Amino acid sequence: LEEGARSCLLRSRHRLEQDIKPSYLMDHMVSDGVLTVDEEERIRTQPTRKDQAVALLELLLRKDNRAYISFYNAMVKEAYNDLANLLHRDLPRSSTSMPFYSLQAVLSEGGVPQRPVVFVSRPELVNRVREKLYRLQKEPGWVTVFGMAGSGKSVLAAEAARHHGLLEECFPGGIHWLSIGQLDKPDLLVKIQLLCFRLEQSLDSQSLHRTPNTLDEAKERLRFLMLRRYPRALLILDDIWDSTVLKAFDLHCRILLTTRNRSLTNSVSGAIYEVEVESGLDENKGMEILALYTNTKLHGLPEEARSIVRECKGSPLVVSLIGALLKEKPNRWPYYLRQLQQKQFKRIRKSSSYDYDALDQAMAASIEVLPDEHRELYKDLTVLEKDIRVPAKVLSVLWELEPEEVEDILEEFVNKSLLFVDSHNKPYLYYLHDLQLDFLVEQNRTQLESLHKKVVHQYQQHYRDGPPTSGDEDCLYWIRFLTYHMAKANLFQELYSLMFSLDWVSTKAQLMGPAFLINDYVEYGPILDKENCEVRSQFQEFLSLSGHQLEQRPFPDVVQLALSQPHTSEVYRQALLQARDQAGTG
Ligand code: ADP
């Protein structure tokens, strides 16, 4: 047994002996194979519970790391939360049967977010979630983590998943993260299509299926994948707002979801376990965040620190935002406290679902301190879609700035907690917290159209000599979102000429598969129909007939595919032109 673990056992021995019921714990340990039936029997024959506990600990001290981990897991499963916490810090890492990096690999493959840079542990909550997750070991069901905006639900969900025992024992099929947020039906379809796509890709099998075109089809595909290919995988649905969304995932699988709305799971079937996240951190944890941001010892914090934490009732989001501000301006403790107290930022959100004055204030405060020109640049981020992560290059096009300059600005935003960075990825990807995006949209409500126009114009300017190619870091972004920005900018002519073009269809299908394209025609159908509803339906027809071929690699010859369309179709007409062109030049 590792030294740390050993000393931890010795330190906690007295409390453990007082509290544990060895017979329950030993069941788990025997099934983990770290305790033999004989050993168990010998301990069971001790006359009292306490004697049994003494004997079990004695034996444990002579065993290896695996036994310690199994003991710990058993405590978690039996909901000895406080006691498990005592042992948690000294859990041996290196000797678990699954090496540390592979847990990390599974999580990042599943898209589970990393810890925030400044992070404080909430062991009791994490254990409560883990303990519920263990209940999904034998049968499917739901674990709901609910609580107020910014209370740390997503961070908590990710943290709970970061656990060898869970992964090995309960979710050997992996853990898959899906950010949901506020969605309408077409968005939901795309999310599920993407999830299916991701799951199929990791199977390494060439998928020969048609892209599901409707929500029902997508749901069936997901059901098949989860039941047959990924049994005993965990799906984490982050930030669910709507019970219709949840119904789409009511497939008899294992799901952890985070939401502000506790009653959502009323409408789904199966076992449901709930964990409430109290809206605030306790005072000392809040202080710890401030100390970490400002690089101060806990007892070296000024007296305002406690008042700040109290003022925002320990909201992790607000404390973090203010911590980030203080990191930059360490002498502003009294100032930020006053700002919070006076609530001097006018409430921007009218019908707020957040009940949070402090949130708006903290957010506004963070933006307030930016230099004027950077505040303008930050405003440009209003047009990003929720949960979409962009490489710096997109912003370099949007802002028309040198990459190095963009890098510095983004770093400033990240340091101020105004922006988040996913450094798993090379190049890094940047994204806004959904509350920040809500805030920006609310604040710039009247300028949305012109902000989207700016995006389209900057793109056209930058790529005037030809569209980006797959070598460009920002290529995927533009191919995916150009139509979205055009539609929001009311630039309808631009939208028609893109979406009524076989070239565009071919490019987008090659880079992203047909799902996004089909979704574009559904989503912007009403706009396109104003120009020409026949052409719109011809393109859509083409996609739904050729969808499965467009998914295959090597990528098929789109002109050939298009030539099999009816001769009255615009798709056919464009293909014919191209075929003649090629015949002419080749
Ligand atoms: P929710 O999902 O409840 O809206 P998040 O989990 O996204 O909240 O957390 C909001 C912010 O609060 C995070 O971006 C982070 O800055 C901060 N935060 C949350 N939990 C912690 C934690 N355990 N330690 C440090 N900061 C945290």
Side-chain angles (χ1 to χ4, degrees), residues 455-517:
V455 182
V456 176
H457 287 150
Q458 288 301 112
Y459 166 84
Q460 288 170 335
Q461 178 69 15
H462 190 89
Y463 288 109
R464 56 184 172 277
D465 299 329
T469 60
S470 56
D472 293 306
E473 280 164 10
D474 53 339
C475 176
L476 280 183
Y477 182 83
W478 297 118
I479 299 295
R480 177 159 171 205
F481 289 107
L482 194 53
T483 44
Y484 158 75
H485 290 301
M486 285 173 170
K488 294 275 179 192
N490 292 333
L491 291 172
F492 297 149
Q493 282 308 326
E494 279 83 348
L495 190 66
Y496 305 146
S497 63
L498 213 53
M499 293 190 59
F500 292 162
S501 141
L502 188 59
D503 279 337
W504 170 257
V505 168
S506 167
T507 312
K508 188 155 181 166
Q510 179 157 18
L511 286 165
M512 324 215 57
F516 285 101
L517 266 172

Side-chain angles (χ1 to χ4, degrees), residues 118-120 122 148-155 289 316-317 320 420 433:
V118 165
F119 171 82
V120 296
R122 302 166 88 177
M148 225 184 239
S151 57
K153 300 182 293 294
S154 313
V155 172
I289 292 187
L317 180 64
S320 300
F420 294 86
H433 191 278

Side-chain angles (χ1 to χ4, degrees), residues 248-263:
F249 293 93
D250 194 359
L251 306 169
H252 212 62
C253 50
R254 293 166 165 81
I255 291 184
L256 168 63
L257 66 115
T258 76
T259 180
R260 292 172 202 175
N261 179 355
R262 175 180 197 169
S263 58

Side-chain angles (χ1 to χ4, degrees), residues 116-122 147-157 159 238-239 258-260 277 281 285 289 292-293 315-321 417 420 433-435:
V117 187
V118 165
F119 171 82
V120 296
S121 65
R122 302 166 88 177
M148 225 184 239
S151 57
K153 300 182 293 294
S154 313
V155 172
L156 179 67
E159 192 60 18
D238 187 32
D239 197 19
T258 76
T259 180
R260 292 172 202 175
V277 181
L281 297 163
K285 289 281 174 194
I289 292 187
L292 286 166
Y293 268 111
S315 156
L317 180 64
V318 178
V319 175
S320 300
L321 282 167
S417 286
F420 294 86
H433 191 278
D434 56 359
L435 293 178

Side-chain angles (χ1 to χ4, degrees), residues 182-357:
Q182 281 170 299
L183 289 180
D184 46 21
K185 266 202 174 149
D187 290 337
L188 177 61
L189 175 59
V190 170
K191 289 262 178 208
I192 301 182
Q193 284 169 337
L194 286 180
L195 177 65
C196 292
F197 189 65
R198 216 163 78 189
L199 294 172
E200 275 162 359
Q201 270 201 328
S202 0
L203 287 174
D204 259 358
S205 67
Q206 270 272 337
S207 99
L208 295 173
H209 305 276
R210 277 160 42 77
T211 308
N213 280 332
T214 65
L215 207 47
D216 281 335
E217 278 175 40
K219 203 172 142 179
E220 275 319 302
R221 173 80 66 83
L222 184 61
R223 182 202 303 279
F224 170 83
L225 282 166
M226 294 303 288
L227 257 51
R228 297 291 173 75
R229 300 305 180 84
Y230 289 89
R232 304 187 65 209
L234 177 68
L235 206 55
I236 304 183
L237 304 177
D238 187 32
D239 197 19
I240 301 261
W241 285 71
D242 191 343
S243 60
T244 53
V245 171
L246 211 52
K247 281 201 184 117
F249 293 93
D250 194 359
L251 306 169
H252 212 62
C253 50
R254 293 166 165 81
I255 291 184
L256 168 63
L257 66 115
T258 76
T259 180
R260 292 172 202 175
N261 179 355
R262 175 180 197 169
S263 58
L264 281 184
T265 41
N266 289 348
S267 55
V268 297
S269 52
I272 296 165
Y273 308 97
E274 292 182 335
V275 179
E276 173 164 14
V277 181
E278 51 266 39
S279 58
L281 297 163
D282 66 46
E283 242 164 68
N284 288 335
K285 289 281 174 194
M287 305 270 282
E288 195 180 329
I289 292 187
L290 292 175
L292 286 166
Y293 268 111
T294 53
N295 210 1
T296 323
K297 291 253 163 37
L298 212 47
H299 55 77
L301 286 171
E303 58 187 57
E304 287 90 356
R306 192 169 297 277
S307 314
I308 287 178
V309 174
R310 281 189 186 155
E311 197 64 37
C312 67
K313 306 197 187 72
S315 156
L317 180 64
V318 178
V319 175
S320 300
L321 282 167
I322 294 190
L325 287 167
L326 285 162
K327 177 181 175 180
E328 300 284 308
K329 305 271 192 240
N331 50 4
R332 289 205 175 167
W333 289 94
Y335 174 68
Y336 290 129
L337 173 58
R338 257 196 333 272
Q339 285 200 309
L340 267 181
Q341 282 169 335
Q342 293 170 356
K343 308 197 188 303
Q344 49 172 271
F345 297 104
K346 65 177 191 311
R347 274 186 66 76
I348 290 167
R349 231 175 272 119
K350 269 155 247 98
S351 66
S352 160
S353 55
Y354 304 134
D355 311 328
Y356 243 132
D357 289 324

